[in-house]
């Protein structure tokens, strides 16, 4: 892998990881990586680097930052990702596994396909690798420019969904003890993700901790009522009733 943006933007190659020294170059690397293999128009790049008031020399400055980024890529990842100029703008052209964003998305798709075919152990392996690519928030340490904010929002949602998928597969594999602790932390981090709560209830029940499972459900009811003014979904309620009645 050569370009990293699921955390601090960096370029990795030959056993070396380099975070560009100049902040503008780090932002440029981040927005290009988030939109890997998709064109980023010059005006979008300018908006990303100077969200308030671009200088008169903005276009020339962009070319300077691009030249520096190209040098870094060429030195650390020769023959790997490169920045291509097209009539539609600038593109970080890269193979799917050469950018952590696209590798993450490939591994998630692979994990879900394996899960659909009942290959839970292999699915868990792919999903663990996908989730493990995240070293922190997208473009950690930098402001997320408005031009890529929708892309970042989608990525963050994909990450949480992948975490949920992984927890579900681990539960199917019978990995209950370690799962309970992980899910207990995740419902604190993502209190409005009902699927995580449901998985925690299921993991507790499967571990023989029925009273704790019922208590978790009651906590979820309070959270949803206070924060969203809604009740748990039918799927969660059905699980609760099964645990309550000793059927799960």
């Amino acid at each position: 892998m050569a370009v990293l943006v699921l955390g601090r933007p960096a370029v990795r190659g030959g056993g070396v990881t380099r975070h560009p020294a100049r902040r503008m170059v780090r932002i440029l690397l981040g927005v290009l990586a988030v939109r890997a293999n998709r064109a980023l128009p010059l005006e979008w790049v300018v908006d990303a680097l100077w969200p308030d008031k671009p200088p008169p020399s903005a276009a020339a400055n962009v070319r300077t930052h691009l030249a520096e980024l190209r040098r870094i890529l060429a030195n650390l990842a020769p023959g790997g990702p490169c920045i291509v100029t097209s009539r539609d703008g600038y593109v970080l052209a890269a193979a799917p596994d050469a950018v952590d964003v696209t590798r993450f998305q490939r591994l998630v798709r692979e994990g879900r396909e394996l899960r659909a075919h009942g290959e839970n152990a292999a699915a868990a392996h792919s999903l663990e690798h996908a989730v493990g690519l995240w070293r922190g928030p997208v473009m950690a340490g930098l402001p997320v420019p408005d031009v890529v904010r929708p892309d970042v929002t989608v990525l963050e949602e994909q990450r949480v969904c992948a975490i949920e998928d992984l927890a579900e597969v681990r539960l199917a594999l019978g990995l209950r003890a370690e799962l309970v602790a992980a899910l207990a932390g995740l419902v604190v981090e993502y209190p409005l993700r009902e699927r995580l709560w449901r998985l925690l209830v299921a993991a507790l029940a499967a571990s023989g901790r029925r009273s704790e499972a019922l208590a978790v459900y009651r906590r979820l009811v309070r959270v949803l009522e206070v924060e969203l003014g809604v009740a748990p979904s039918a799927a969660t309620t059905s699980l609760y009733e099964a645990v309550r009645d000793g059927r799960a």
Side-chain angles (χ1 to χ4, degrees):
M1 191 185 308
V3 177
L4 311 176
V5 72
L6 302 178
R8 290 178 63 201
V11 177
R12 178 181 294 164
V16 176
T17 300
R18 179 175 173 186
H19 304 276
R22 298 172 69 177
R23 182 173 178 273
M24 289 290 197
V25 178
R26 294 198 302 274
I27 293 175
L28 182 58
L29 175 61
V31 296
L32 286 169
V34 166
R35 292 182 55 85
N37 296 311
R38 291 180 290 164
L40 195 68
L42 173 61
E43 58 268 27
W44 287 30
V45 176
V46 171
D47 285 345
L49 298 182
W50 298 279
D52 297 322
K53 185 179 180 182
S57 59
N61 291 349
V62 166
R63 289 192 289 272
T64 298
H65 299 322
L66 283 168
E68 181 175 343
L69 189 51
R70 285 185 169 115
R71 283 194 297 272
I72 294 172
L73 287 168
N75 289 336
L76 289 185
C82 61
I83 299 169
V84 177
T85 303
S86 73
R87 65 179 183 180
D88 297 319
Y90 303 103
V91 180
L92 178 65
D97 279 2
V99 180
D100 58 0
V101 169
T102 48
R103 187 179 186 191
F104 162 76
Q105 292 169 329
R106 180 189 67 75
L107 286 167
V108 170
R109 287 193 302 270
E110 180 181 277
R112 288 174 178 161
E113 289 170 3
L114 289 165
R115 172 71 166 132
H117 288 88
E119 299 179 45
N120 289 330
H125 182 75
S126 292
L127 291 167
E128 284 165 3
H129 277 281
V131 172
L133 291 173
W134 288 74
R135 299 164 293 111
V138 179
M139 296 179 63
L142 298 170
V144 175
D146 288 343
V147 294
V148 293
R149 190 172 298 279
D151 300 271
V152 170
T153 299
V154 168
L155 276 171
E156 290 169 344
E157 173 67 16
Q158 289 174 339
R159 173 178 179 258
V160 182
C161 287
I163 290 171
E164 293 171 338
D165 289 343
L166 177 57
E168 192 171 82
V169 172
R170 284 176 170 168
L171 183 60
L173 289 169
L175 306 176
R176 299 157 187 164
E178 62 184 67
L179 192 54
V180 167
L183 287 167
L186 286 168
V187 297
V188 173
E189 186 176 358
Y190 303 102
L192 302 182
R193 303 288 299 200
E194 186 178 337
R195 186 183 176 196
L196 288 172
W197 288 89
R198 185 165 63 248
L199 286 164
L200 178 55
V201 171
L204 285 165
S207 301
R209 299 161 65 176
R210 180 168 164 268
S211 62
E212 292 176 70
L214 296 175
V216 165
Y217 174 82
R218 289 191 289 269
R219 281 173 54 203
L220 170 62
V221 170
R222 290 193 295 272
V223 168
L224 292 180
E225 182 179 0
V226 170
E227 298 295 332
L228 301 177
V230 300
S233 66
T236 304
T237 302
S238 294
L239 174 61
Y240 160 73
E241 291 171 348
V243 174
R244 181 196 62 194
D245 298 342
R247 294 181 284 108

